Amino acid sequence: MSDIATVFGGSGFIGRYVVRRLARAGKTVRVAVRDTEAALFLKTAGGIGQIVPLYSPVNNDADVKRAVEGADWVVNLVGVLTESRAASFQAIHVDAAARIANAAKTAGASRLVHMSAIGADPASDSRYAASKGDGETAVRAAFPGATILRPSIVFGPEDNFFNRFAGMTRILPFMPVIEGATRMQPVFAGDVADAVLAALQSDEAVGKTYELGGPKAWLFVDLLAYVLKVTGRDLSLVNMPLPLVRLQACILGMLPGKLLTRDQLKLLAYDNVVASAALGLSDLGISPTAIEQIVPDYLRRYRAGGGRKPTTLAA
């Protein structure tokens, strides 16, 4: 058994948590990324030489093969929320997933964990969800024993969910609500990382799919109200007419950064919660962390004055 674990996308939001867990487990961790400079911060999460950033773009067969050579564990965390010319859903969620799974199998890796998403379905009308579903199919075909993890919305200090909406409270006169009745089950990034490690270590997880969610399902509008409460912003929640939102999505989806796309609007129409019959965090021995335990600490900076308490001057 090798002591090497390769993590594709290890410098990303979830990846940094996964790399730390693997380092604590005693593995030498190859962080397979496009930008090795951006992954250097991870080196302090392990001993000298334990964490190795490795140039490995997932669209190159030779680089992917080199990244998994000699590795016992392989983790694929690579994904995109919006498409670009350089990174389409097909290229990242399907082609790259198949390439990594094939390389891991050929290299003799004993375990592969593939990060997907709740709602992954080849038949979905969302290109994102359909590509995630096709990616799962490709991974299963190449590496039947792979463990697939499907998280709901992932939160943590570096997230692009709570931070985005908290940032909006600084500049908007109200909080816009789109598909407010959609249910979501936010899951802590640390719990997702624990799930990755548990799946790699457990014989029971081989070939199985787990859906990862927090302890509570929330209405989207209630999550937005919670953000307003935590940030101390007295803003009204305003339901946005869908025809207007669709028009905005068409325009904003063509701008740099793609603040809102038509595909994301489709995703918002569907609940993002763990299915009643699905395996979940508890099946991996993990108790989910509530957002109330984590989110207030990192959203404090969005309060008036940066969340600092006013200084009381002595008389």
Side-chain angles (χ1 to χ4, degrees), residues 116-188:
S116 185
I118 285 179
D121 181 359
S124 175
D125 62 346
S126 158
R127 294 195 307 276
Y128 172 86
S131 67
K132 282 291 190 179
D134 288 337
E136 291 185 4
T137 301
V139 168
R140 283 271 183 253
F143 200 123
T147 301
I148 293 174
L149 302 181
R150 296 174 172 175
S152 181
I153 304 298
V154 182
F155 69 88
E158 311 87 354
D159 72 43
N160 194 33
F161 184 77
F162 286 111
N163 279 300
R164 169 175 286 193
F165 291 111
M168 290 168 60
T169 67
R170 288 173 164 175
I171 59 176
L172 296 180
F174 62 89
M175 177 62 78
V177 180
I178 304 169
E179 299 286 5
T182 297
R183 295 188 303 147
M184 301 176 179
Q185 199 168 345
V187 59
F188 177 47

Coordinates of all heavy atoms in Angstrom, one line a residue, residues 116-188:
S116 N -19.2 15.0 -6.8 CA -20.3 15.3 -7.7 C -21.2 16.4 -7.1 O -20.6 17.3 -6.4 CB -21.1 14.1 -8.1 OG -22.1 14.4 -9.1
A117 N -22.5 16.3 -7.2 CA -23.4 17.3 -6.5 C -24.8 16.7 -6.4 O -25.2 15.9 -7.3 CB -23.4 18.6 -7.4
I118 N -25.5 17.1 -5.4 CA -26.9 16.7 -5.3 C -27.6 17.3 -6.6 O -27.4 18.4 -7.0 CB -27.5 17.3 -4.0 CG1 -27.1 16.5 -2.8 CG2 -29.1 17.3 -4.1 CD1 -27.7 17.0 -1.5
G119 N -28.5 16.4 -7.1 CA -29.2 16.8 -8.3 C -28.5 16.4 -9.6 O -29.1 16.6 -10.7
A120 N -27.3 15.7 -9.5 CA -26.7 15.2 -10.7 C -27.6 14.2 -11.4 O -28.0 13.2 -10.8 CB -25.4 14.5 -10.3
D121 N -27.8 14.5 -12.7 CA -28.8 13.6 -13.4 C -28.6 13.9 -14.9 O -28.8 15.0 -15.4 CB -30.2 14.0 -13.0 CG -31.2 13.1 -13.8 OD1 -30.9 12.3 -14.6 OD2 -32.5 13.3 -13.5
P122 N -28.2 12.8 -15.7 CA -28.0 13.0 -17.1 C -29.2 13.6 -17.9 O -29.0 14.2 -18.9 CB -27.6 11.6 -17.6 CG -27.1 10.9 -16.4 CD -27.8 11.5 -15.2
A123 N -30.4 13.4 -17.3 CA -31.6 13.8 -17.9 C -32.1 15.2 -17.5 O -33.1 15.7 -18.0 CB -32.7 12.8 -17.6
S124 N -31.3 15.9 -16.7 CA -31.7 17.2 -16.2 C -31.7 18.2 -17.3 O -30.9 18.1 -18.2 CB -30.7 17.6 -15.1 OG -31.0 19.0 -14.7
D125 N -32.6 19.2 -17.2 CA -32.6 20.3 -18.1 C -31.5 21.4 -17.8 O -31.3 22.3 -18.6 CB -34.0 21.0 -18.2 CG -34.4 21.6 -16.9 OD1 -33.8 21.3 -15.9 OD2 -35.4 22.4 -16.9
S126 N -30.8 21.2 -16.7 CA -29.7 22.1 -16.4 C -28.4 21.4 -16.9 O -28.2 20.2 -16.7 CB -29.6 22.2 -14.9 OG -28.3 22.6 -14.5
R127 N -27.7 22.2 -17.7 CA -26.4 21.6 -18.2 C -25.4 21.3 -17.1 O -24.7 20.3 -17.3 CB -25.8 22.7 -19.2 CG -26.6 23.0 -20.5 CD -25.7 23.7 -21.5 NE -25.1 24.9 -21.0 CZ -25.7 26.0 -20.9 NH1 -26.9 26.2 -21.3 NH2 -25.0 27.1 -20.5
Y128 N -25.4 22.1 -16.1 CA -24.5 21.7 -14.9 C -24.9 20.4 -14.3 O -24.0 19.5 -14.2 CB -24.6 22.8 -13.9 CG -23.9 22.5 -12.6 CD1 -22.6 22.8 -12.5 CD2 -24.6 21.9 -11.5 CE1 -21.9 22.5 -11.3 CE2 -23.9 21.6 -10.3 CZ -22.6 21.9 -10.2 OH -21.9 21.6 -9.1
A129 N -26.2 20.2 -14.0 CA -26.6 19.0 -13.3 C -26.5 17.8 -14.3 O -26.1 16.7 -13.9 CB -28.0 19.1 -12.9
A130 N -26.8 18.0 -15.6 CA -26.7 16.9 -16.6 C -25.2 16.5 -16.7 O -24.9 15.3 -16.8 CB -27.2 17.3 -17.9
S131 N -24.3 17.4 -16.8 CA -22.9 17.1 -16.9 C -22.3 16.4 -15.7 O -21.5 15.5 -15.8 CB -22.0 18.4 -17.2 OG -22.0 19.2 -16.1
K132 N -22.8 16.8 -14.5 CA -22.4 16.1 -13.3 C -22.9 14.6 -13.3 O -22.2 13.7 -12.9 CB -23.0 16.8 -12.1 CG -22.3 18.0 -11.6 CD -20.9 17.7 -11.1 CE -20.2 18.9 -10.4 NZ -18.9 18.5 -9.8
G133 N -24.1 14.4 -13.8 CA -24.7 13.1 -14.0 C -23.9 12.2 -15.0 O -23.5 11.1 -14.7
D134 N -23.5 12.8 -16.1 CA -22.7 12.2 -17.1 C -21.3 11.8 -16.6 O -20.8 10.8 -16.9 CB -22.6 13.0 -18.4 CG -23.9 13.1 -19.2 OD1 -24.7 12.2 -19.0 OD2 -24.1 14.0 -19.9
G135 N -20.8 12.7 -15.7 CA -19.5 12.5 -15.1 C -19.5 11.3 -14.2 O -18.6 10.5 -14.2
E136 N -20.6 11.2 -13.4 CA -20.7 10.0 -12.5 C -20.7 8.7 -13.4 O -20.1 7.7 -13.0 CB -22.0 10.1 -11.7 CG -22.0 11.2 -10.7 CD -23.2 11.2 -9.8 OE1 -24.1 10.3 -9.9 OE2 -23.3 12.1 -8.9
T137 N -21.5 8.7 -14.5 CA -21.6 7.5 -15.3 C -20.2 7.2 -15.9 O -19.8 6.0 -15.9 CB -22.5 7.8 -16.5 OG1 -23.8 8.1 -15.9 CG2 -22.6 6.6 -17.4
A138 N -19.4 8.2 -16.3 CA -18.1 8.0 -16.9 C -17.1 7.4 -15.8 O -16.3 6.5 -16.1 CB -17.5 9.3 -17.4
V139 N -17.2 7.9 -14.6 CA -16.4 7.5 -13.5 C -16.7 6.0 -13.2 O -15.8 5.2 -13.0 CB -16.5 8.4 -12.3 CG1 -15.9 7.7 -11.0 CG2 -15.9 9.7 -12.5
R140 N -18.0 5.7 -13.1 CA -18.4 4.3 -12.7 C -17.9 3.3 -13.8 O -17.5 2.2 -13.5 CB -19.9 4.2 -12.6 CG -20.4 4.8 -11.3 CD -20.5 3.7 -10.2 NE -21.1 4.2 -9.0 CZ -20.4 4.5 -7.9 NH1 -19.1 4.3 -7.9 NH2 -21.0 5.0 -6.8
A141 N -17.9 3.7 -15.1 CA -17.5 2.9 -16.2 C -16.0 2.6 -16.1 O -15.6 1.5 -16.4 CB -17.9 3.5 -17.5
A142 N -15.2 3.6 -15.7 CA -13.8 3.4 -15.7 C -13.3 2.8 -14.4 O -12.3 2.1 -14.3 CB -13.1 4.8 -15.9
F143 N -13.9 3.2 -13.2 CA -13.5 2.8 -11.9 C -14.7 2.4 -11.1 O -15.2 3.2 -10.3 CB -12.7 3.9 -11.2 CG -11.8 3.5 -10.1 CD1 -10.4 3.9 -10.2 CD2 -12.2 2.9 -9.0 CE1 -9.6 3.5 -9.2 CE2 -11.4 2.5 -8.0 CZ -10.1 2.9 -8.1
P144 N -15.2 1.1 -11.3 CA -16.5 0.7 -10.6 C -16.5 0.9 -9.1 O -17.6 1.1 -8.5 CB -16.6 -0.7 -11.0 CG -15.9 -0.8 -12.3 CD -14.7 0.1 -12.2
G145 N -15.3 0.8 -8.5 CA -15.3 0.9 -7.0 C -15.2 2.3 -6.5 O -15.1 2.5 -5.3
A146 N -15.3 3.3 -7.4 CA -15.2 4.7 -6.9 C -16.3 5.0 -6.0 O -17.4 4.5 -6.1 CB -15.2 5.6 -8.1
T147 N -16.0 5.9 -5.0 CA -17.0 6.4 -4.1 C -17.4 7.8 -4.6 O -16.5 8.6 -4.9 CB -16.5 6.5 -2.7 OG1 -16.1 5.2 -2.2 CG2 -17.6 7.1 -1.8
I148 N -18.7 8.0 -4.8 CA -19.2 9.3 -5.3 C -19.8 10.1 -4.2 O -20.7 9.5 -3.4 CB -20.2 9.1 -6.5 CG1 -19.4 8.5 -7.7 CG2 -20.9 10.4 -6.8 CD1 -20.3 8.2 -8.8
L149 N -19.4 11.3 -4.0 CA -20.0 12.2 -3.0 C -20.8 13.3 -3.6 O -20.3 14.0 -4.5 CB -18.9 12.8 -2.1 CG -18.0 11.8 -1.3 CD1 -17.0 12.5 -0.5 CD2 -18.8 10.8 -0.5
R150 N -22.0 13.5 -3.2 CA -22.9 14.6 -3.7 C -23.2 15.6 -2.6 O -24.2 15.4 -1.9 CB -24.2 14.0 -4.3 CG -24.0 13.1 -5.5 CD -25.4 12.5 -5.8 NE -25.4 11.7 -7.0 CZ -26.5 11.0 -7.4 NH1 -27.6 11.0 -6.7 NH2 -26.4 10.3 -8.6
P151 N -22.5 16.6 -2.4 CA -22.8 17.6 -1.4 C -23.9 18.5 -1.9 O -24.1 18.8 -3.1 CB -21.5 18.4 -1.2 CG -20.8 18.3 -2.5 CD -21.2 16.9 -3.1
S152 N -24.7 19.1 -0.9 CA -25.6 20.2 -1.1 C -24.7 21.5 -1.2 O -23.5 21.4 -1.4 CB -26.6 20.3 0.0 OG -27.5 21.4 -0.3
I153 N -25.2 22.6 -1.0 CA -24.5 23.9 -0.9 C -23.4 23.7 0.2 O -23.7 23.4 1.3 CB -25.4 25.1 -0.6 CG1 -26.5 25.2 -1.6 CG2 -24.6 26.4 -0.5 CD1 -26.1 25.4 -3.0
V154 N -22.1 24.0 -0.1 CA -21.1 23.8 0.8 C -20.7 25.2 1.4 O -20.5 26.2 0.7 CB -19.8 23.2 0.2 CG1 -18.7 23.0 1.2 CG2 -20.2 21.9 -0.5
F155 N -20.6 25.3 2.7 CA -20.3 26.6 3.4 C -19.0 26.5 4.2 O -18.6 25.4 4.6 CB -21.5 27.1 4.2 CG -21.7 26.3 5.5 CD1 -21.1 26.6 6.7 CD2 -22.6 25.2 5.5 CE1 -21.3 25.9 7.8 CE2 -22.9 24.5 6.7 CZ -22.2 24.8 7.8
G156 N -18.4 27.6 4.4 CA -17.2 27.7 5.2 C -16.7 29.1 5.0 O -17.1 29.9 4.1
P157 N -15.6 29.5 5.7 CA -15.1 30.9 5.6 C -14.8 31.4 4.2 O -14.8 32.5 3.9 CB -13.9 30.9 6.5 CG -14.2 29.8 7.5 CD -15.0 28.7 6.8
E158 N -14.4 30.4 3.3 CA -14.0 30.8 2.0 C -15.1 30.6 1.0 O -14.8 30.7 -0.2 CB -12.8 29.9 1.6 CG -11.6 29.9 2.6 CD -11.8 28.8 3.6 OE1 -12.9 28.1 3.6 OE2 -10.9 28.6 4.4
D159 N -16.3 30.4 1.4 CA -17.4 30.0 0.4 C -17.8 31.1 -0.4 O -17.5 32.3 -0.2 CB -18.6 29.4 1.2 CG -19.4 30.4 2.0 OD1 -19.7 31.5 1.5 OD2 -19.8 30.0 3.1
N160 N -18.5 30.8 -1.5 CA -19.0 31.8 -2.4 C -20.5 31.8 -2.4 O -21.2 32.3 -3.3 CB -18.6 31.4 -3.9 CG -18.8 32.6 -4.8 OD1 -18.7 33.8 -4.4 ND2 -19.2 32.3 -6.1
F161 N -21.1 31.4 -1.3 CA -22.5 31.4 -1.1 C -22.9 32.4 0.0 O -23.4 33.5 -0.3 CB -23.0 30.0 -0.6 CG -24.5 29.9 -0.5 CD1 -25.3 29.8 -1.6 CD2 -25.1 29.9 0.7 CE1 -26.7 29.8 -1.5 CE2 -26.5 29.9 0.9 CZ -27.3 29.8 -0.3
F162 N -22.6 32.1 1.2 CA -23.0 33.1 2.3 C -22.2 34.4 2.1 O -22.7 35.5 2.3 CB -22.7 32.5 3.7 CG -23.8 31.5 4.1 CD1 -23.4 30.2 4.2 CD2 -25.1 31.9 4.3 CE1 -24.4 29.2 4.5 CE2 -26.0 31.0 4.7 CZ -25.7 29.6 4.8
N163 N -20.9 34.3 1.7 CA -20.1 35.5 1.5 C -20.7 36.4 0.4 O -20.7 37.6 0.5 CB -18.7 35.1 1.2 CG -17.9 34.8 2.4 OD1 -17.7 35.6 3.3 ND2 -17.4 33.5 2.4
R164 N -21.2 35.7 -0.7 CA -21.7 36.5 -1.8 C -23.0 37.3 -1.3 O -23.1 38.5 -1.6 CB -22.1 35.6 -2.9 CG -22.9 36.3 -4.0 CD -23.2 35.5 -5.2 NE -22.0 35.3 -6.0 CZ -22.0 34.8 -7.3 NH1 -23.2 34.4 -7.8 NH2 -20.9 34.7 -7.9
F165 N -23.9 36.7 -0.6 CA -25.1 37.4 -0.2 C -24.8 38.4 0.9 O -25.4 39.4 0.9 CB -26.2 36.3 0.2 CG -26.7 35.5 -0.9 CD1 -26.4 34.2 -1.0 CD2 -27.4 36.1 -1.9 CE1 -26.9 33.4 -2.1 CE2 -27.9 35.4 -3.0 CZ -27.6 34.0 -3.1
A166 N -23.9 38.1 1.8 CA -23.5 39.0 2.8 C -22.9 40.3 2.1 O -23.1 41.4 2.6 CB -22.5 38.4 3.8
G167 N -22.1 40.1 1.1 CA -21.5 41.2 0.4 C -22.6 42.0 -0.3 O -22.4 43.3 -0.4
M168 N -23.6 41.4 -0.8 CA -24.7 42.2 -1.4 C -25.4 43.1 -0.4 O -25.9 44.2 -0.8 CB -25.7 41.2 -2.0 CG -25.2 40.4 -3.2 SD -26.3 39.0 -3.7 CE -27.8 39.9 -4.1
T169 N -25.4 42.7 0.9 CA -26.1 43.6 1.9 C -25.4 44.9 2.0 O -26.0 45.9 2.5 CB -26.1 42.9 3.2 OG1 -24.8 42.8 3.8 CG2 -26.8 41.5 3.1
R170 N -24.1 45.0 1.6 CA -23.4 46.3 1.7 C -23.8 47.3 0.6 O -23.6 48.5 0.8 CB -21.9 46.0 1.6 CG -21.3 45.3 2.8 CD -19.8 45.0 2.5 NE -19.1 44.7 3.8 CZ -17.8 44.2 3.8 NH1 -17.2 44.1 2.6 NH2 -17.2 44.0 4.9
I171 N -24.2 46.8 -0.5 CA -24.4 47.7 -1.7 C -25.8 47.8 -2.2 O -26.1 48.7 -2.9 CB -23.5 47.2 -2.8 CG1 -23.8 45.8 -3.2 CG2 -22.0 47.3 -2.4 CD1 -23.0 45.3 -4.4
L172 N -26.7 46.9 -1.8 CA -28.1 46.9 -2.3 C -29.0 47.5 -1.3 O -28.8 47.3 -0.1 CB -28.6 45.5 -2.7 CG -27.8 44.8 -3.8 CD1 -28.4 43.4 -4.1 CD2 -27.9 45.7 -5.1
P173 N -30.1 48.2 -1.7 CA -31.1 48.7 -0.8 C -32.1 47.7 -0.3 O -32.8 48.0 0.6 CB -31.8 49.8 -1.6 CG -31.7 49.3 -3.0 CD -30.3 48.6 -3.1
F174 N -32.1 46.5 -0.9 CA -32.9 45.4 -0.4 C -32.3 44.1 -0.8 O -31.3 44.1 -1.6 CB -34.3 45.5 -1.1 CG -34.3 45.5 -2.6 CD1 -34.4 44.2 -3.3 CD2 -34.2 46.6 -3.4 CE1 -34.4 44.2 -4.7 CE2 -34.1 46.6 -4.8 CZ -34.2 45.3 -5.4
M175 N -32.8 43.0 -0.3 CA -32.2 41.7 -0.6 C -33.2 41.0 -1.6 O -34.3 40.7 -1.3 CB -32.1 40.8 0.6 CG -31.6 39.4 0.3 SD -30.0 39.3 -0.4 CE -29.0 39.6 1.0
P176 N -32.7 40.9 -2.9 CA -33.6 40.2 -3.9 C -33.7 38.7 -3.6 O -32.8 38.1 -3.2 CB -32.8 40.4 -5.2 CG -31.4 40.6 -4.8 CD -31.4 41.3 -3.4
V177 N -35.0 38.2 -3.8 CA -35.2 36.8 -3.6 C -35.7 36.1 -4.9 O -36.6 36.6 -5.5 CB -36.4 36.6 -2.5 CG1 -36.6 35.1 -2.3 CG2 -36.0 37.3 -1.2
I178 N -35.0 35.1 -5.3 CA -35.3 34.3 -6.5 C -35.6 32.9 -6.1 O -34.7 32.3 -5.4 CB -34.2 34.4 -7.5 CG1 -33.8 35.8 -7.8 CG2 -34.5 33.6 -8.8 CD1 -32.6 36.0 -8.6
E179 N -36.7 32.4 -6.4 CA -37.1 31.0 -6.1 C -36.9 30.8 -4.5 O -36.3 29.8 -4.1 CB -36.3 30.0 -6.8 CG -36.4 30.1 -8.4 CD -37.7 29.5 -8.9 OE1 -38.6 29.1 -8.0 OE2 -37.9 29.4 -10.1
G180 N -37.5 31.6 -3.8 CA -37.3 31.6 -2.3 C -37.8 30.3 -1.6 O -37.4 30.0 -0.5
A181 N -38.8 29.6 -2.3 CA -39.3 28.4 -1.7 C -38.5 27.2 -1.9 O -38.8 26.1 -1.4 CB -40.8 28.2 -2.2
T182 N -37.4 27.3 -2.7 CA -36.5 26.1 -2.9 C -35.8 25.8 -1.6 O -35.4 26.6 -0.9 CB -35.5 26.5 -4.0 OG1 -36.1 26.8 -5.2 CG2 -34.5 25.4 -4.2
R183 N -35.7 24.5 -1.4 CA -35.1 24.0 -0.1 C -33.6 23.7 -0.4 O -33.3 23.1 -1.4 CB -35.8 22.8 0.4 CG -37.3 23.0 0.8 CD -37.8 21.8 1.5 NE -37.8 20.6 0.7 CZ -37.6 19.4 1.1 NH1 -37.4 19.1 2.4 NH2 -37.5 18.4 0.3
M184 N -32.8 24.0 0.6 CA -31.4 23.7 0.5 C -30.9 23.2 1.9 O -31.5 23.5 2.9 CB -30.6 25.0 0.2 CG -31.0 25.7 -1.1 SD -30.1 27.2 -1.4 CE -30.8 27.7 -3.0
Q185 N -29.8 22.4 1.9 CA -29.3 21.7 3.1 C -27.8 22.0 3.2 O -27.0 21.1 3.0 CB -29.7 20.2 3.0 CG -29.6 19.5 4.4 CD -30.2 18.2 4.3 OE1 -30.9 17.8 3.3 NE2 -30.0 17.4 5.3
P186 N -27.4 23.2 3.5 CA -26.0 23.6 3.5 C -25.2 22.6 4.4 O -25.6 22.3 5.5 CB -26.0 25.0 4.0 CG -27.4 25.5 3.7 CD -28.3 24.4 3.9
V187 N -24.0 22.2 3.9 CA -23.1 21.3 4.6 C -21.8 22.0 4.7 O -21.2 22.6 3.8 CB -23.0 20.0 3.8 CG1 -22.5 20.2 2.4 CG2 -22.1 19.0 4.6
F188 N -21.2 21.8 5.9 CA -19.9 22.5 6.2 C -18.7 21.8 5.5 O -18.7 20.6 5.3 CB -19.6 22.4 7.7 CG -18.3 22.9 8.2 CD1 -17.9 24.1 7.7 CD2 -17.5 22.2 9.1 CE1 -16.7 24.7 8.2 CE2 -16.3 22.7 9.5 CZ -15.9 23.9 9.0

